[in-house]
Amino acid sequence: MSIQTPNAAATPRILVLEPDPAVLTRLLEAFTLDGCDPVGASTLASAGDLLASDRWDLALLSMSEPNRSDLQLLQQIRSGTISHANDLPNLPLIVISSMGLEAHRIQAFELGCDDYIVKPYSFGELRGRVAAVLRRSRSRSAGSIATIGDLRIDYALREVSLAGKKITLTSKEYELLTILAKEPCRVYERAYLLNKIWGTHVAGSTRTLDVHACRLRAKLAGSSQPYIANVWGVGYRLQTPATR
């Protein structure tokens, strides 16, 4: 099985953060056999340096204990504080954890991870999830430009601007916006958005969706009325200038 990158002609470059040397070696070997270009890191510091120094198609972040530093790395990636040049805020991210605690899963999703896998796991499952995340990233990249009032979405560059000013969004915020922008004014049910963006239902996911929608609404609050509307008890929709 070959795992495809967002650029179908290129080899997927995957950063693998795994503190266990034996597990890291097995993962690097397996991804190499799958036609990827994996690079390993055994510490948070080395992973941060690698993320800032090169371009990546996806990062796997293994977390063994409830650790503030682990989640801090995730937050730094999504906020772009590690490096703005490498488009890290939009980098597909998968968290691998030995905990599976509800609070940790919620935190990871709220900080912008694209998927969450609990140990023990099979490489077949991991491969499938990596392929799915890369496939979603590829489909987001191969688009055109959408203009809705002062809002402009460049799908090829994954850039969003409002009245000519660039808006920095996390991966999940961007994905939520692009789904709502497909059919402005349509009310998208919460269950549909959760399934399309997170792929699976996790405990507390409704809260996670609401948090992302609230942050997206705030970032797009450059107009007299918000672009993102909460339809009470149903879901969300993107308002056009004619409907606001």
Side-chain angles (χ1 to χ4, degrees):
M1 174 181 175
S2 176
I3 297 176
Q4 295 297 312
T5 181
N7 178 357
T11 300
R13 301 203 70 234
I14 301 177
L15 176 66
V16 183
L17 169 61
E18 171 54 65
D20 186 317
V23 175
L24 179 59
T25 298
R26 289 197 296 270
L27 288 175
L28 296 179
E29 291 175 347
F31 279 120
T32 299
L33 289 174
D34 270 348
C36 300
D37 178 18
V39 177
S42 58
T43 66
L44 291 170
S46 60
D49 290 341
L50 286 167
L51 286 166
S53 64
D54 209 340
R55 288 190 173 274
W56 306 91
D57 293 304
L58 181 141
L60 296 174
L61 307 178
S62 180
M63 302 178 182
S64 56
E65 297 178 357
N67 190 321
R68 184 182 298 272
S69 297
D70 288 334
L71 292 175
Q72 186 176 35
L73 175 62
L74 181 57
Q75 185 176 33
Q76 289 172 340
I77 293 171
R78 283 292 177 248
S79 65
T81 56
I82 292 179
S83 171
H84 289 281
N86 296 331
D87 197 29
L88 288 183
N90 295 316
L91 177 67
L93 295 170
I94 297 178
V95 170
I96 301 174
S97 174
S98 61
M99 297 169 288
L101 298 175
E102 177 183 336
H104 192 267
R105 292 200 306 270
I106 292 173
Q107 279 186 292
F109 278 116
E110 288 180 346
L111 289 174
C113 78
D114 293 278
D115 203 350
Y116 190 107
I117 302 175
V118 179
K119 299 178 181 178
Y121 59 88
S122 68
F123 184 73
E125 177 190 4
L126 178 60
R127 173 200 283 130
R129 290 176 181 261
V130 167
V133 170
L134 287 174
R135 186 166 57 249
R136 291 198 297 267
S137 179
R138 181 172 65 250
S139 65
R140 292 194 301 260
S141 300
S144 55
I145 295 175
T147 302
I148 305 168
D150 292 333
L151 181 64
R152 183 177 186 272
I153 306 172
D154 188 322
Y155 294 98
L157 297 178
R158 291 176 58 83
E159 289 184 353
V160 176
S161 60
L162 185 64
K165 181 179 179 181
K166 185 176 178 181
I167 306 296
T168 300
L169 303 179
T170 66
S171 178
K172 292 300 185 185
E173 290 167 354
Y174 176 83
E175 196 163 354
L176 174 59
L177 176 61
T178 56
I179 290 175
L180 298 179
K182 288 180 180 179
E183 295 183 55
C185 301
R186 169 186 167 181
V187 178
Y188 286 86
E189 295 182 352
R190 279 183 167 82
Y192 176 86
L193 294 171
L194 287 167
N195 181 62
K196 294 294 289 185
I197 299 174
W198 281 273
T200 56
H201 180 79
V202 296
S205 53
T206 298
R207 174 191 166 196
T208 299
L209 171 61
D210 291 340
V211 168
H212 281 78
C214 182
R215 290 174 180 170
L216 179 59
R217 182 190 296 116
K219 291 182 179 181
L220 300 180
S223 302
S224 58
Q225 293 183 357
Y227 271 90
I228 307 301
N230 179 6
V231 181
W232 183 255
V234 182
Y236 293 91
R237 67 182 176 94
L238 182 67
Q239 301 184 113
T240 67
T243 60
R244 285 186 287 143

